[in-house]
Amino acid sequence: AFGAILTYFMRDSLAKGGDVTLGIYDPSGKRVRELTANKKRGMHRVTWDLRNAAPYTVRRPANQVGEPQFRQRDPAGPFVLPGRYTARLTVKSGSGAQSVSEVPIEVRSDPLVPMSEADYRSLYDMRVSTGRLQATVQAAVRTTEQLKDQITDVKNALKSNTAPDSVSKQADAVDKELTDILQKLRGDT
């Protein structure tokens, strides 16, 4: 597996109210990633893919039609810069007691890719900026999809009630405008 492999042991399963977190922190102490940690008794292994957290998450419709399952991937965050990171496992018991274990991780640059530190920084900054822009577009898509759902409900309500034709035409016009916005946001032209 690619990345940093982290192994930890849970002596006992956590009681109700307990929690386990596994965070990755950069040299300044800022958390760059939260990994899923198993809370059950036993030995556990987690792989950090050397990436920051994803800039956004994808909301999947319950019954999406037309797109094969294998094509749906959650976005990945940008790779972190070379440097020293810390993996921090925090175990909080149900009583509130807390134990913290830390282990250093050194992320090295790829020796087959000759880039200066400044080039790595520029590439990283560009990827972070692109992620923010993607998150903004995804928020606009989600909002427009919610509006489309609402206008569909309005149109259905208008069909079951006696509403003036002008109101139904306005609802159709709003629906068409939302469809056009979604096509532009998604690039479906």
Side-chain angles (χ1 to χ4, degrees):
F2 172 79
I5 299 172
L6 306 166
T7 304
Y8 64 97
F9 177 73
M10 293 290 294
R11 186 177 315 275
D12 298 303
S13 291
L14 285 179
K16 188 174 184 175
D19 194 23
V20 177
T21 59
L22 180 55
I24 306 296
Y25 295 82
D26 70 9
S28 70
K30 176 184 168 203
R31 187 176 71 210
V32 296
R33 188 76 180 270
E34 188 75 30
L35 302 174
T36 302
N38 196 317
K39 301 174 185 182
K40 295 180 181 173
R41 180 177 191 269
M43 186 74 72
H44 304 287
R45 183 165 283 165
V46 177
T47 302
W48 173 42
D49 60 2
L50 308 181
R51 292 179 178 271
N52 284 333
Y56 62 93
T57 57
V58 177
R59 179 181 64 101
R60 304 233 190 272
N63 293 322
Q64 187 169 2
V65 178
E67 181 152 53
Q69 188 68 24
F70 64 86
R71 292 191 67 206
Q72 298 177 356
R73 290 188 326 146
D74 284 328
F79 284 107
V80 296
L81 290 169
R84 293 189 65 79
Y85 293 80
T86 302
R88 184 179 302 153
L89 180 72
T90 305
V91 180
K92 295 178 186 172
S93 68
S95 65
Q98 176 175 306
S99 69
V100 177
S101 301
E102 293 185 350
V103 64
I105 299 171
E106 183 178 351
V107 176
R108 296 183 186 144
S109 59
D110 185 343
L112 299 176
V113 180
M115 289 176 63
S116 69
E117 191 174 320
D119 289 340
Y120 271 110
R121 169 56 70 181
S122 294
L123 179 62
Y124 175 80
D125 290 344
M126 182 272 306
R127 287 177 173 166
V128 169
S129 176
T130 301
R132 282 192 202 113
L133 292 171
Q134 288 174 327
T136 302
V137 170
Q138 286 302 312
V141 167
R142 281 193 300 271
T143 300
T144 307
E145 287 172 341
Q146 290 169 347
L147 290 170
K148 282 261 315 158
D149 291 344
Q150 290 173 0
I151 199 67
T152 299
D153 292 344
V154 167
K155 287 170 63 175
N156 288 336
L158 289 173
K159 285 179 186 174
S160 63
N161 293 318
T162 54
D165 255 2
S166 62
V167 175
S168 294
K169 287 180 182 178
Q170 286 177 335
D172 288 339
V174 169
D175 189 25
K176 183 185 179 332
E177 190 171 341
L178 290 172
T179 298
D180 292 345
I181 290 170
L182 274 175
Q183 286 176 336
K184 289 175 184 167
L185 286 171
R186 291 177 176 154
D188 300 338
T189 54

